[in-house]
Amino acid sequence: MTTPHFPISRRSAALALAVFAALGASAAQADYPDRPIKLIVPFAASGSTDLAARLIGEYASRELGQAIVIENRAGAGGSLGMDMVAKSKPDGYTLGMATMSTHGSNVAAYGSRLKYDPVKDFVPVSNVATVPSVLAVTGKFPAKNMPDFLALAKKEPAKITFASPGTGSLGHSNIEYFSSLAGIKLLHVPYKGSGMALNDAIAGQVDAITDNLPSALPHIKAGRLHALAVLSDKRNPALPDVPTYGELGFPQMGNGGWFGVVAPAGTPAPIVKKLNQAIHTAMKQPDFIKKMEEAGATLIPNTSEQFQAQIEQAVQRYQNVAKVAKIAVE
């Protein structure tokens, strides 16, 4: 006896495949993560972004049940590492540490030559911390306060050198903007990360540095660097005698930077939610809070949507800064 044959239309077959694919994707998301997660830090090791990433890796991995492996990919003010994140498979196994450099000042400095779109190419997971940056001079530099620094800079234009994590980075953009507001000219010395810039500043190879407070603070307390101003809305408890840019007459400088976790665009919402929850749980741990506060950072956990709004604001702000300070990477 011949078995009846019922032809299946191409449309029905495609629908069946789509259903199976959706079921498979749902199962994969439910099992996430089932292997280690890579968190790319787009700067060299030892900087404040690296510090925050390693704390996230240590504490959030406990919530997720899988290791979070930190990978430093420095270069071009953080844009090289962030481009790798943008082009990674959106499955939750490659994440990146976004900063106001990678998702703000770089956009303005590199313009159309930036290989990723900070808004369209990522899904924000959560912001982590806001940190004031600090303008500091080497211990032997003759000026020990901002008025003396400005007087010396005006007397000898383009002679005072300042280090930053890279051309177009947040540190570079902030100091060029400050220089334009103060009517001075400094000589920029770019590095491939804040760690290397900080080392040369401590050694006296450059006169000044702009860096996030968490990484610069130990050297300021030890007297290897001398802080002139902090970029924050109010004085930092760790440096109560150091004025803000606003107090010094430059309120246009703003309130400092932030760093948080992003995933490639297209990463499924359930995975983003799970990561957000794991990071927030990690950030509630007393040791996590203590270590970040000791580094001068303020925790700012938020939703994916709130972090998206912060990124869009950063892009707009630094486009304006770059225009005023005439910052562009050739």
Side-chain angles (χ1 to χ4, degrees):
M1 180 177 180
T2 303
T3 301
H5 174 68
F6 299 98
I8 300 176
S9 68
R10 291 184 178 179
R11 183 177 181 182
S12 297
L15 180 60
L17 288 173
V19 170
F20 286 131
L23 291 173
S26 297
Q29 293 168 26
D31 293 338
Y32 174 85
D34 61 6
R35 63 181 188 273
I37 298 167
K38 179 167 61 178
L39 176 55
I40 293 178
V41 178
F43 300 100
S46 79
S48 54
T49 309
D50 182 70
L51 169 66
R54 292 182 188 281
L55 286 175
I56 292 169
E58 178 183 353
Y59 289 90
S61 61
R62 301 174 187 176
E63 302 301 317
L64 295 168
Q66 289 289 340
I68 298 178
V69 181
I70 308 303
E71 184 175 315
N72 296 90
R73 292 283 184 169
S79 63
L80 293 183
M82 202 48 60
D83 184 51
M84 291 181 62
V85 178
K87 291 178 171 55
S88 296
K89 186 176 180 181
D91 56 5
Y93 289 99
T94 300
L95 308 174
M97 287 297 291
T99 70
M100 285 186 74
S101 284
T102 64
H103 284 63
S105 60
N106 282 0
V107 186
Y110 286 89
S112 61
R113 294 195 292 116
L114 194 67
K115 295 181 180 179
Y116 61 85
D117 186 307
V119 175
K120 297 178 181 179
D121 291 345
F122 302 90
V123 176
V125 176
S126 174
N127 211 332
V128 174
T130 180
V131 293
S133 65
V134 58
L135 172 61
V137 293
T138 59
K140 296 181 179 180
F141 192 77
K144 302 300 182 183
N145 56 56
M146 186 60 81
D148 288 348
F149 179 85
L150 293 178
L152 187 58
K154 289 178 180 179
K155 182 179 179 181
E156 301 178 321
K159 183 177 180 180
I160 297 175
T161 56
F162 80 92
S164 84
T167 301
S169 67
L170 182 65
H172 177 213
S173 296
N174 281 341
I175 296 306
E176 292 289 8
Y177 186 45
F178 170 65
S179 296
S180 69
L181 294 173
I184 61 174
K185 180 66 176 177
L186 305 176
L187 182 60
H188 179 220
V189 182
Y191 288 79
K192 291 185 177 180
S194 60
M196 290 179 281
L198 188 59
N199 288 338
D200 269 11
I202 294 167
Q205 298 298 315
V206 289
D207 298 316
I209 183 172
T210 174
D211 194 19
N212 286 333
L213 183 58
S215 48
L217 185 59
H219 306 289
I220 293 172
K221 289 185 173 181
R224 292 184 287 269
L225 294 175
H226 189 86
L228 302 183
V230 290
L231 184 57
S232 179
D233 58 349
K234 58 184 178 181
R235 294 196 182 196
N236 192 277
L239 295 174
D241 297 328
V242 180
T244 66
Y245 280 96
E247 289 179 277
L248 292 166
F250 304 98
Q252 308 96 314
M253 288 294 292
N255 299 322
W258 45 249
F259 36 68
V261 179
V262 296
T267 301
I271 289 178
V272 173
K273 183 178 180 180
K274 192 167 187 176
L275 287 166
N276 179 280
Q277 292 173 341
I279 292 170
H280 287 190
T281 299
M283 292 170 68
K284 293 177 183 177
Q285 303 308 308
D287 285 348
F288 191 111
I289 296 171
K290 180 181 178 181
K291 289 177 181 178
M292 291 298 286
E293 288 181 344
E294 287 176 345
T298 301
L299 300 181
I300 49 169
N302 58 11
T303 65
S304 176
E305 293 76 16
Q306 289 169 333
F307 192 15
Q308 179 77 15
Q310 290 175 322
I311 289 172
E312 292 173 359
Q313 290 168 5
V315 171
Q316 182 61 51
R317 169 175 169 72
Y318 280 95
Q319 284 178 334
N320 294 335
V321 167
K323 184 176 181 179
V324 171
K326 297 180 173 61
I327 299 169
V329 179
E330 298 298 333

